[in-house]
Amino acid sequence: MTRNDVAKLAGTSPAVVSYVINNGPRPVSESARQRVLAAVAELGYRPNAVARSLRARRSWTIGVIASDSAGGTSPFFGQFTRACEEVAWQRGYSVLLGNSAEDPARAESYLRSFLERQVDGLVLMRVPVAAERAEEMRRVPVVTIDHQAPPFFSRLAVDDEEGGYQATRHLLEHGHRRIGFVAGPLDVTPIELRAAGWRRALREAGAEPGPLAEGALSLEGGYDVAYRLLSSGPRPTALFASIDDQAIGAMRAAADLGLRVPQDVAVAGFDGAREAAYTVPGLTTISQPIDAMARHATETLVGAIESDVGDPLTKIFSATLVTRGSCGCPEPRLRQG
């Protein structure tokens, strides 16, 4: 089955078939495009991907590497990568996905593998890159989701410190003065910045910071840290968790200790994961625009791939406080009537 067979059935030239399949470089009338697509479907024609790549000098693939210490269970990473894949598919690219699990050796292995496969670009989600490797990657467009990156990478991040400040200030407005922080590892930049926002809000209110304890960025980690904080005195009357999974784990720890949320201990998280709306009570959280960030990252990368020019971009997204019952705010209904 050849392109000529498709052209013959569609009543067009082989060049028009090529324009339709490859989305250019010349425009094609809608009627001709529909005839070509119908012919492709009827004949079961499949373009030669290798030949297409050689002509375009592209592999039509994007590598996405996440750094999810929770083993791929974090709602942020799952939602982000799904949105990346959707945009990439719409633009004609396939996605190779790897999870470094906070392991530098594993991250380096994925980088090496993806570059050897000649991916057209990379999205790195909180994946540190050694200076020598970064220099080797200058030929490949890269978008990082992090606060720290080489100057020749495009960089996206959320304002983590402001988000931590908003969450803590809201708990203070509910009258809490002893607000604990269920932290992830503080050597992770976003967690460190969220802790800085927590401290700033307490300092402005004249409240003592603490208690703080570090744990894994997971449901289990949140449960373990909150259990320790809530079972030793003086007990905090509110908890701010560095991610929503930890906050959900904290709510379960409170229940196991016979404490009511929010009457005995208020809880707030950070991420804006979809699951936050379905806890009982619903989880108050700092919502990151996850889908918008993923779309922007992928569109930025594809734009850099297809233009072969352009300076690296930096964009910091704002986070939004979403109030629900876990902090003491009125509980919204998911469905009316």
Side-chain angles (χ1 to χ4, degrees):
M1 191 63 57
T2 69
R3 191 168 297 177
N4 289 338
D5 296 320
V6 175
K8 183 177 180 180
L9 181 60
T12 64
S13 69
V16 170
V17 175
S18 176
Y19 300 155
V20 172
I21 292 173
N22 296 312
N23 295 314
R26 296 182 181 177
V28 175
S29 70
E30 183 60 23
S31 61
R33 191 177 79 86
Q34 291 299 329
R35 293 201 307 274
V36 169
L37 293 177
V40 166
E42 182 175 337
L43 296 173
Y45 173 70
R46 294 292 181 270
N48 187 316
V50 174
R52 179 183 179 221
S53 296
L54 289 173
R55 286 193 300 272
R57 288 184 295 180
R58 293 184 200 155
S59 64
W60 303 97
T61 57
I62 291 171
V64 178
I65 305 178
S67 187
D68 185 357
S69 63
T73 63
S74 167
F76 175 87
F77 289 107
Q79 188 174 337
F80 191 100
T81 52
R82 283 195 300 272
C84 277
E85 192 278 334
E86 179 64 23
V87 174
W89 181 82
Q90 292 172 359
R91 296 297 297 268
Y93 290 81
S94 299
V95 170
L96 299 177
L97 177 63
N99 172 27
S100 72
E102 304 285 354
D103 182 348
R106 187 165 165 175
E108 170 60 22
S109 177
Y110 273 121
L111 281 171
R112 183 173 61 253
S113 174
F114 288 180
L115 291 171
E116 288 174 352
R117 292 169 183 263
Q118 298 185 324
V119 295
D120 296 320
L122 288 162
V123 176
L124 305 180
M125 302 168 63
R126 299 173 189 165
V127 175
V129 179
E132 291 183 1
R133 171 62 77 184
E135 285 295 328
E136 296 174 5
M137 293 167 60
R138 281 182 178 270
R139 63 179 178 83
V140 178
V142 178
V143 176
T144 63
I145 315 303
D146 207 341
H147 291 271
Q148 299 173 326
F152 44 87
F153 288 0
S154 290
R155 181 171 66 91
L156 277 66
V158 73
D159 193 338
D160 288 290
E161 181 176 355
E162 181 61 24
Y165 176 84
Q166 285 186 53
T168 310
R169 183 178 177 85
H170 184 71
L171 293 171
L172 287 162
E173 290 171 350
H174 275 281
H176 298 284
R177 302 292 292 179
R178 185 168 175 79
I179 302 173
F181 186 32
V182 179
L186 292 173
D187 59 354
V188 176
T189 300
I191 307 306
E192 179 185 16
L193 291 171
R194 294 170 195 181
W198 167 74
R199 292 189 184 96
R200 177 161 62 95
L202 292 173
R203 184 172 61 251
E204 288 183 3
E208 289 293 326
L212 176 153
E214 296 180 53
L217 290 168
S218 63
L219 293 164
E220 297 83 359
Y223 180 94
D224 292 341
V225 169
Y227 199 98
R228 295 201 307 270
L229 295 179
L230 295 174
S231 58
S232 60
R235 176 171 60 80
T237 62
L239 294 174
F240 168 49
S242 54
I243 68 169
D244 283 349
D245 266 10
Q246 286 185 311
I248 294 170
M251 291 170 68
R252 177 55 192 257
D256 284 358
L257 288 167
L259 301 173
R260 299 166 300 164
V261 176
Q263 293 89 339
D264 300 316
V265 58
V267 178
F270 197 120
D271 268 345
R274 294 187 179 98
E275 291 83 351
Y278 291 88
T279 61
V280 179
L283 176 62
T284 291
T285 182
I286 298 297
S287 178
Q288 302 186 72
I290 301 175
D291 288 343
M293 291 174 68
R295 287 195 301 271
H296 190 87
T298 312
E299 291 287 0
T300 296
L301 187 65
V302 171
I305 292 168
E306 297 187 349
S307 67
D308 293 322
V309 293
D311 295 327
L313 304 175
T314 296
K315 183 174 177 61
I316 305 299
F317 287 80
S318 297
T320 303
L321 175 68
V322 177
T323 60
R324 299 189 180 97
S326 70
C327 67
C329 283
E331 183 70 54
R333 292 177 61 90
L334 294 180
R335 181 177 296 172
Q336 301 300 321

